[in-house]
Amino acid sequence: MSINQQLREAIVRVLPEVDMVIGWGPGEDSLHQSPLFMKKPEDVDGFEAGSLSVHNTALYLPDLKGKKIGVVVKGCDSRSVGQLLAEKLIKRDELTIIGFPCRGVIDQDKVAKALADLTNGSIEPGEVRTADFTDEEVVVTAGFEGKEFRLARADVLADKCGRCEYPNAVISDIFVGEKIKTEAKDEYADLAAFEAMSLEERMAFWEKEMERCTRCYACRNACPLCVCRNHCIADSRDPQWLGQANGVREKLFFQIIHASHLAGRCTGCGECERACPVGIPVLLLKRCLSRGVEHLFFYKAGLDPEATPPLMTFEVEERRIKEREWK
Amino acid sequence: MSIKFLALTDVCAWLEELSGNFTVHVPQAQGSAVVYRPWVKGAAALPELRKKPTESAKHVLFPRSERLFSFRREADLSVTLEEAQKTGPQLIFGMLSCDARGFLGFDPVYGGGNSKGAAADPYYLGRRDEAVLIVRACKNALNTCFCTWVGGDPASRDGADVLVTELDEGMVLEPVTDKGEALMESSLLKAAGAGQINAATALHDQCRAQMAIAGAVPDISTAPAALYSLFENAEFWSGQSAGCLSCGICTYLCPTCYCFNITDEEAGSGGVRMRSWDNCMSYQYTLEASGHNPRPGKAERLRNRIGHKFAYYPRTNEGRFLCSGCGRCIKSCPSSIDIRRIVLDALSEQEAANVKQ
């Protein structure tokens, strides 16, 4: 039985105990899925977990507090659930967590690039008519003539999946399928590459990237740990922290606020970056702080729902912060 | 009107020439996105005309944020106001027909046209009157394109001053209005040959054929009635909005969404009055001073967005939908919420209700 058949069976089994199960279902075309909210057994027919199941299902949990929820999670989604639990923003006894081994999800921008390379820029992902996902390839038919194109899976896999240490749900009530063993280690190579630039170059990089920001705040709203929701200081007019001018200053200011608020909380799911309609690499800022928290406090967000996140507590003698030795 | 031909090698020279009289906006690649930005004089690279722009061109006539005026409190307690400088004539080169048609949705609202007693908006109208829109016919249709559902066409001339069709070796330029005709006098433009004109028409037909692959265009003319009757159906709207993130992508990328907010930003004894884009997907959009919010949840907010485009606006605007079918709200939605699906679901709900009666 395929993983998806097993998952569908597990969801149907869980449904009578919960108000809904959150997973993934059909999207607007063969390259997209949409979050699926299953309430009746027939809703489960549309469920599928796979390379297009990009959405972090944990996102919806804080708003559904008080309800019994089943949630299907990839490894990264499960870490968001773990962090929300550690911060007591959701309740464990209201959740039934269904995990599965995730083989990674695709990045639409990379698909666009791979297709453009193959077709001299003449075909966009929006023209893909069918898509098949194998272990090694994404085989699509696209364009007016429905020609076939074969994209190497490695070329279109999301960056976060390439460095993923936790492809299996780190927390689950039901785990379907066989756990994936991985040797991957996240060494923050992307950050190291960025930091090879001078400070001036880095500032110029962000000025260039942020110029096209539309201030839609999808980065914030797609973040499962951004739980202020309707009360974000970015929207408040009284007091008004952020100006309404369409300047890089305001845009970058918000990104710094967002990243700071996620220090020690961000699990690196990358939904902020995926949601960005204009492809600004905003995850990089959060990863900088995650690396710092990892180094300072030996803490990786979302791995242990019982943990007290380091910025929600303090040690009298921090192991890596030696104030007494400061000069 | 005279149909012209512009050789590919002369495109930059023509844009250079145009930029003598206008601020010229062209689609440009930035990272993985394509955005409309001012043509930099002397630029040698062609505008990005292959990929469809990620954003619409509405910010050219309706800026994301604009200073309406600045104010200063003087020592004698009088207040000095200073109006913002005018933008000057602008030209958009290579915009999509759905983007040009988007402004046709703006016009009655900001022109004070259809509603009794409505004020005309001098900021928008000032830019609109001076703007020249050079529309490019679409060469390809995306899965998310649905201009044909709402009266559009990949080579629509609605709202365009000039229609451009890109061939391999250059562009066929067809002036649509007097403003467009006035641009045809450049010595860089040659009379188009019959072969070139036929090739352009063939490209229009090919794009129409690509759009038709998705199937016949559904009749959505009864959408207003269906949406009005579904107004209080909470289950319908909570189901449709379940995946919504309440972000502003759909409204900000939309060529027809025209809402704004006004903010006074003060510093010391002076400040500026800003007008910036607002977004009906946000909680703050209808938050009242009392703290009451008539649209507290995303279900009410999504209902408003769909209702406004396919029911309320058409009611006061001769049935015209406030949607030009560009599909950006679908393509860029992080949750892949499909506005077409919602309208079709509303129509089938209505049909089911009619059968029951």
Side-chain angles (χ1 to χ4, degrees), chain A residues 226-250:
Chain A
C226 247
V227 287
C228 299
R229 304 283 152 104
N230 300 334
H231 307 282
C232 177
I233 69 159
D235 296 322
S236 156
R237 289 290 201 280
D238 186 19
Q240 190 185 2
W241 299 100
L242 246 71
Q244 284 301 295
N246 182 42
V248 165
R249 191 175 68 160
E250 285 78 13

PDB file of all heavy atoms in Angstrom, chain A residues 226-250:
ATOM      1  N   CYS A 226       4.379  33.261  13.790  1.00  0.00           N
ATOM      2  CA  CYS A 226       3.981  34.667  13.878  1.00  0.00           C
ATOM      3  C   CYS A 226       2.560  34.703  14.408  1.00  0.00           C
ATOM      4  O   CYS A 226       1.598  34.751  13.649  1.00  0.00           O
ATOM      5  CB  CYS A 226       4.031  35.309  12.499  1.00  0.00           C
ATOM      6  SG  CYS A 226       5.307  36.534  12.368  1.00  0.00           S
ATOM      7  N   VAL A 227       2.419  34.677  15.732  1.00  0.00           N
ATOM      8  CA  VAL A 227       1.097  34.456  16.301  1.00  0.00           C
ATOM      9  C   VAL A 227       0.390  35.733  16.751  1.00  0.00           C
ATOM     10  O   VAL A 227      -0.706  35.675  17.289  1.00  0.00           O
ATOM     11  CB  VAL A 227       1.173  33.463  17.484  1.00  0.00           C
ATOM     12  CG1 VAL A 227       1.406  32.059  16.963  1.00  0.00           C
ATOM     13  CG2 VAL A 227       2.256  33.861  18.450  1.00  0.00           C
ATOM     14  N   CYS A 228       0.997  36.896  16.521  1.00  0.00           N
ATOM     15  CA  CYS A 228       0.295  38.134  16.901  1.00  0.00           C
ATOM     16  C   CYS A 228      -0.895  38.400  15.975  1.00  0.00           C
ATOM     17  O   CYS A 228      -1.822  39.117  16.341  1.00  0.00           O
ATOM     18  CB  CYS A 228       1.237  39.328  16.882  1.00  0.00           C
ATOM     19  SG  CYS A 228       2.607  39.175  18.025  1.00  0.00           S
ATOM     20  N   ARG A 229      -0.808  37.823  14.772  1.00  0.00           N
ATOM     21  CA  ARG A 229      -1.899  37.917  13.787  1.00  0.00           C
ATOM     22  C   ARG A 229      -2.460  39.337  13.650  1.00  0.00           C
ATOM     23  O   ARG A 229      -1.773  40.190  13.157  1.00  0.00           O
ATOM     24  CB  ARG A 229      -3.024  36.916  14.127  1.00  0.00           C
ATOM     25  CG  ARG A 229      -2.525  35.474  14.240  1.00  0.00           C
ATOM     26  CD  ARG A 229      -2.282  34.848  12.880  1.00  0.00           C
ATOM     27  NE  ARG A 229      -1.248  33.812  12.935  1.00  0.00           N
ATOM     28  CZ  ARG A 229      -1.457  32.504  12.901  1.00  0.00           C
ATOM     29  NH1 ARG A 229      -2.663  32.048  12.769  1.00  0.00           N
ATOM     30  NH2 ARG A 229      -0.459  31.648  12.957  1.00  0.00           N
ATOM     31  N   ASN A 230      -3.685  39.595  14.146  1.00  0.00           N
ATOM     32  CA  ASN A 230      -4.315  40.895  13.906  1.00  0.00           C
ATOM     33  C   ASN A 230      -3.707  42.030  14.726  1.00  0.00           C
ATOM     34  O   ASN A 230      -4.146  43.165  14.618  1.00  0.00           O
ATOM     35  CB  ASN A 230      -5.810  40.815  14.210  1.00  0.00           C
ATOM     36  CG  ASN A 230      -6.502  39.798  13.336  1.00  0.00           C
ATOM     37  OD1 ASN A 230      -6.037  39.512  12.239  1.00  0.00           O
ATOM     38  ND2 ASN A 230      -7.590  39.249  13.815  1.00  0.00           N
ATOM     39  N   HIS A 231      -2.729  41.707  15.558  1.00  0.00           N
ATOM     40  CA  HIS A 231      -2.208  42.727  16.463  1.00  0.00           C
ATOM     41  C   HIS A 231      -0.741  43.049  16.195  1.00  0.00           C
ATOM     42  O   HIS A 231      -0.036  43.544  17.070  1.00  0.00           O
ATOM     43  CB  HIS A 231      -2.415  42.275  17.910  1.00  0.00           C
ATOM     44  CG  HIS A 231      -3.838  41.898  18.181  1.00  0.00           C
ATOM     45  ND1 HIS A 231      -4.826  42.830  18.388  1.00  0.00           N
ATOM     46  CD2 HIS A 231      -4.460  40.692  18.188  1.00  0.00           C
ATOM     47  CE1 HIS A 231      -5.989  42.213  18.537  1.00  0.00           C
ATOM     48  NE2 HIS A 231      -5.801  40.915  18.417  1.00  0.00           N
ATOM     49  N   CYS A 232      -0.292  42.765  14.983  1.00  0.00           N
ATOM     50  CA  CYS A 232       1.103  42.995  14.621  1.00  0.00           C
ATOM     51  C   CYS A 232       1.427  44.487  14.661  1.00  0.00           C
ATOM     52  O   CYS A 232       0.632  45.310  14.210  1.00  0.00           O
ATOM     53  CB  CYS A 232       1.361  42.447  13.222  1.00  0.00           C
ATOM     54  SG  CYS A 232       3.027  42.748  12.629  1.00  0.00           S
ATOM     55  N   ILE A 233       2.590  44.820  15.180  1.00  0.00           N
ATOM     56  CA  ILE A 233       2.955  46.233  15.265  1.00  0.00           C
ATOM     57  C   ILE A 233       3.131  46.864  13.871  1.00  0.00           C
ATOM     58  O   ILE A 233       3.104  48.077  13.738  1.00  0.00           O
ATOM     59  CB  ILE A 233       4.229  46.466  16.097  1.00  0.00           C
ATOM     60  CG1 ILE A 233       5.459  45.916  15.386  1.00  0.00           C
ATOM     61  CG2 ILE A 233       4.121  45.884  17.475  1.00  0.00           C
ATOM     62  CD1 ILE A 233       6.716  46.559  15.909  1.00  0.00           C
ATOM     63  N   ALA A 234       3.293  46.024  12.845  1.00  0.00           N
ATOM     64  CA  ALA A 234       3.439  46.575  11.496  1.00  0.00           C
ATOM     65  C   ALA A 234       2.153  47.253  11.037  1.00  0.00           C
ATOM     66  O   ALA A 234       2.175  48.138  10.189  1.00  0.00           O
ATOM     67  CB  ALA A 234       3.814  45.467  10.515  1.00  0.00           C
ATOM     68  N   ASP A 235       1.017  46.808  11.570  1.00  0.00           N
ATOM     69  CA  ASP A 235      -0.270  47.347  11.126  1.00  0.00           C
ATOM     70  C   ASP A 235      -0.809  48.431  12.046  1.00  0.00           C
ATOM     71  O   ASP A 235      -1.750  49.130  11.691  1.00  0.00           O
ATOM     72  CB  ASP A 235      -1.313  46.221  11.051  1.00  0.00           C
ATOM     73  CG  ASP A 235      -0.946  45.176  10.020  1.00  0.00           C
ATOM     74  OD1 ASP A 235      -0.436  45.570   8.962  1.00  0.00           O
ATOM     75  OD2 ASP A 235      -1.170  43.983  10.277  1.00  0.00           O
ATOM     76  N   SER A 236      -0.253  48.514  13.228  1.00  0.00           N
ATOM     77  CA  SER A 236      -0.815  49.437  14.207  1.00  0.00           C
ATOM     78  C   SER A 236      -0.590  50.887  13.770  1.00  0.00           C
ATOM     79  O   SER A 236       0.485  51.258  13.328  1.00  0.00           O
ATOM     80  CB  SER A 236      -0.161  49.168  15.564  1.00  0.00           C
ATOM     81  OG  SER A 236      -0.236  50.319  16.359  1.00  0.00           O
ATOM     82  N   ARG A 237      -1.641  51.710  13.893  1.00  0.00           N
ATOM     83  CA  ARG A 237      -1.502  53.130  13.589  1.00  0.00           C
ATOM     84  C   ARG A 237      -1.406  53.947  14.874  1.00  0.00           C
ATOM     85  O   ARG A 237      -1.136  55.130  14.846  1.00  0.00           O
ATOM     86  CB  ARG A 237      -2.714  53.623  12.788  1.00  0.00           C
ATOM     87  CG  ARG A 237      -2.751  53.095  11.379  1.00  0.00           C
ATOM     88  CD  ARG A 237      -1.637  53.747  10.555  1.00  0.00           C
ATOM     89  NE  ARG A 237      -1.928  53.667   9.140  1.00  0.00           N
ATOM     90  CZ  ARG A 237      -1.725  52.610   8.391  1.00  0.00           C
ATOM     91  NH1 ARG A 237      -1.223  51.523   8.921  1.00  0.00           N
ATOM     92  NH2 ARG A 237      -2.017  52.621   7.109  1.00  0.00           N
ATOM     93  N   ASP A 238      -1.696  53.292  15.991  1.00  0.00           N
ATOM     94  CA  ASP A 238      -1.688  54.025  17.250  1.00  0.00           C
ATOM     95  C   ASP A 238      -1.213  53.116  18.361  1.00  0.00           C
ATOM     96  O   ASP A 238      -2.030  52.408  18.943  1.00  0.00           O
ATOM     97  CB  ASP A 238      -3.103  54.565  17.530  1.00  0.00           C
ATOM     98  CG  ASP A 238      -3.113  55.459  18.756  1.00  0.00           C
ATOM     99  OD1 ASP A 238      -2.028  55.928  19.148  1.00  0.00           O
ATOM    100  OD2 ASP A 238      -4.191  55.671  19.333  1.00  0.00           O
ATOM    101  N   PRO A 239       0.056  53.062  18.676  1.00  0.00           N
ATOM    102  CA  PRO A 239       1.116  53.879  18.090  1.00  0.00           C
ATOM    103  C   PRO A 239       1.502  53.393  16.689  1.00  0.00           C
ATOM    104  O   PRO A 239       1.292  52.234  16.359  1.00  0.00           O
ATOM    105  CB  PRO A 239       2.291  53.659  19.045  1.00  0.00           C
ATOM    106  CG  PRO A 239       2.071  52.289  19.595  1.00  0.00           C
ATOM    107  CD  PRO A 239       0.582  52.116  19.673  1.00  0.00           C
ATOM    108  N   GLN A 240       2.034  54.307  15.916  1.00  0.00           N
ATOM    109  CA  GLN A 240       2.476  53.943  14.577  1.00  0.00           C
ATOM    110  C   GLN A 240       3.987  53.762  14.568  1.00  0.00           C
ATOM    111  O   GLN A 240       4.737  54.716  14.657  1.00  0.00           O
ATOM    112  CB  GLN A 240       2.072  55.013  13.563  1.00  0.00           C
ATOM    113  CG  GLN A 240       2.315  54.512  12.151  1.00  0.00           C
ATOM    114  CD  GLN A 240       2.057  55.556  11.094  1.00  0.00           C
ATOM    115  OE1 GLN A 240       1.731  56.683  11.383  1.00  0.00           O
ATOM    116  NE2 GLN A 240       2.233  55.154   9.856  1.00  0.00           N
ATOM    117  N   TRP A 241       4.396  52.506  14.478  1.00  0.00           N
ATOM    118  CA  TRP A 241       5.829  52.218  14.509  1.00  0.00           C
ATOM    119  C   TRP A 241       6.445  52.299  13.129  1.00  0.00           C
ATOM    120  O   TRP A 241       7.582  52.688  12.965  1.00  0.00           O
ATOM    121  CB  TRP A 241       6.069  50.821  15.076  1.00  0.00           C
ATOM    122  CG  TRP A 241       5.593  50.655  16.466  1.00  0.00           C
ATOM    123  CD1 TRP A 241       4.426  50.061  16.861  1.00  0.00           C
ATOM    124  CD2 TRP A 241       6.236  51.109  17.665  1.00  0.00           C
ATOM    125  NE1 TRP A 241       4.314  50.116  18.228  1.00  0.00           N
ATOM    126  CE2 TRP A 241       5.405  50.745  18.741  1.00  0.00           C
ATOM    127  CE3 TRP A 241       7.430  51.787  17.922  1.00  0.00           C
ATOM    128  CZ2 TRP A 241       5.735  51.032  20.062  1.00  0.00           C
ATOM    129  CZ3 TRP A 241       7.751  52.065  19.234  1.00  0.00           C
ATOM    130  CH2 TRP A 241       6.907  51.692  20.294  1.00  0.00           C
ATOM    131  N   LEU A 242       5.671  51.848  12.143  1.00  0.00           N
ATOM    132  CA  LEU A 242       6.213  51.756  10.788  1.00  0.00           C
ATOM    133  C   LEU A 242       5.553  52.797   9.890  1.00  0.00           C
ATOM    134  O   LEU A 242       4.329  52.877   9.863  1.00  0.00           O
ATOM    135  CB  LEU A 242       5.890  50.369  10.213  1.00  0.00           C
ATOM    136  CG  LEU A 242       7.075  49.455   9.955  1.00  0.00           C
ATOM    137  CD1 LEU A 242       7.641  48.986  11.281  1.00  0.00           C
ATOM    138  CD2 LEU A 242       6.643  48.265   9.133  1.00  0.00           C
ATOM    139  N   GLY A 243       6.349  53.556   9.158  1.00  0.00           N
ATOM    140  CA  GLY A 243       5.808  54.555   8.254  1.00  0.00           C
ATOM    141  C   GLY A 243       5.119  53.904   7.068  1.00  0.00           C
ATOM    142  O   GLY A 243       5.329  52.729   6.781  1.00  0.00           O
ATOM    143  N   GLN A 244       4.304  54.684   6.387  1.00  0.00           N
ATOM    144  CA  GLN A 244       3.582  54.172   5.236  1.00  0.00           C
ATOM    145  C   GLN A 244       4.292  54.448   3.918  1.00  0.00           C
ATOM    146  O   GLN A 244       3.812  54.064   2.863  1.00  0.00           O
ATOM    147  CB  GLN A 244       2.171  54.774   5.192  1.00  0.00           C
ATOM    148  CG  GLN A 244       1.237  54.143   6.200  1.00  0.00           C
ATOM    149  CD  GLN A 244       1.097  52.649   5.974  1.00  0.00           C
ATOM    150  OE1 GLN A 244       0.591  52.216   4.965  1.00  0.00           O
ATOM    151  NE2 GLN A 244       1.586  51.864   6.915  1.00  0.00           N
ATOM    152  N   ALA A 245       5.421  55.125   3.973  1.00  0.00           N
ATOM    153  CA  ALA A 245       6.145  55.402   2.733  1.00  0.00           C
ATOM    154  C   ALA A 245       6.598  54.091   2.102  1.00  0.00           C
ATOM    155  O   ALA A 245       6.802  53.095   2.793  1.00  0.00           O
ATOM    156  CB  ALA A 245       7.350  56.291   3.020  1.00  0.00           C
ATOM    157  N   ASN A 246       6.737  54.112   0.779  1.00  0.00           N
ATOM    158  CA  ASN A 246       7.096  52.890   0.061  1.00  0.00           C
ATOM    159  C   ASN A 246       8.619  52.785  -0.046  1.00  0.00           C
ATOM    160  O   ASN A 246       9.163  52.622  -1.115  1.00  0.00           O
ATOM    161  CB  ASN A 246       6.448  52.926  -1.329  1.00  0.00           C
ATOM    162  CG  ASN A 246       6.725  51.685  -2.126  1.00  0.00           C
ATOM    163  OD1 ASN A 246       6.671  50.597  -1.583  1.00  0.00           O
ATOM    164  ND2 ASN A 246       7.037  51.846  -3.401  1.00  0.00           N
ATOM    165  N   GLY A 247       9.281  52.887   1.091  1.00  0.00           N
ATOM    166  CA  GLY A 247      10.739  52.934   1.031  1.00  0.00           C
ATOM    167  C   GLY A 247      11.391  51.661   1.542  1.00  0.00           C
ATOM    168  O   GLY A 247      10.788  50.895   2.292  1.00  0.00           O
ATOM    169  N   VAL A 248      12.620  51.465   1.116  1.00  0.00           N
ATOM    170  CA  VAL A 248      13.397  50.310   1.559  1.00  0.00           C
ATOM    171  C   VAL A 248      13.554  50.338   3.082  1.00  0.00           C
ATOM    172  O   VAL A 248      13.552  49.311   3.744  1.00  0.00           O
ATOM    173  CB  VAL A 248      14.764  50.297   0.854  1.00  0.00           C
ATOM    174  CG1 VAL A 248      15.725  49.343   1.529  1.00  0.00           C
ATOM    175  CG2 VAL A 248      14.593  49.927  -0.610  1.00  0.00           C
ATOM    176  N   ARG A 249      13.656  51.540   3.627  1.00  0.00           N
ATOM    177  CA  ARG A 249      13.852  51.667   5.068  1.00  0.00           C
ATOM    178  C   ARG A 249      12.718  50.986   5.853  1.00  0.00           C
ATOM    179  O   ARG A 249      12.957  50.184   6.749  1.00  0.00           O
ATOM    180  CB  ARG A 249      13.944  53.145   5.445  1.00  0.00           C
ATOM    181  CG  ARG A 249      14.406  53.381   6.862  1.00  0.00           C
ATOM    182  CD  ARG A 249      14.585  54.850   7.141  1.00  0.00           C
ATOM    183  NE  ARG A 249      13.276  55.527   7.123  1.00  0.00           N
ATOM    184  CZ  ARG A 249      13.060  56.707   7.696  1.00  0.00           C
ATOM    185  NH1 ARG A 249      14.041  57.335   8.290  1.00  0.00           N
ATOM    186  NH2 ARG A 249      11.872  57.271   7.646  1.00  0.00           N
ATOM    187  N   GLU A 250      11.475  51.303   5.487  1.00  0.00           N
ATOM    188  CA  GLU A 250      10.320  50.711   6.169  1.00  0.00           C
ATOM    189  C   GLU A 250      10.269  49.201   5.955  1.00  0.00           C
ATOM    190  O   GLU A 250       9.969  48.434   6.862  1.00  0.00           O
ATOM    191  CB  GLU A 250       9.010  51.330   5.664  1.00  0.00           C
ATOM    192  CG  GLU A 250       8.718  52.729   6.180  1.00  0.00           C
ATOM    193  CD  GLU A 250       9.527  53.795   5.463  1.00  0.00           C
ATOM    194  OE1 GLU A 250      10.138  53.504   4.414  1.00  0.00           O
ATOM    195  OE2 GLU A 250       9.571  54.932   5.967  1.00  0.00           O
TER     196      GLU A 250
END
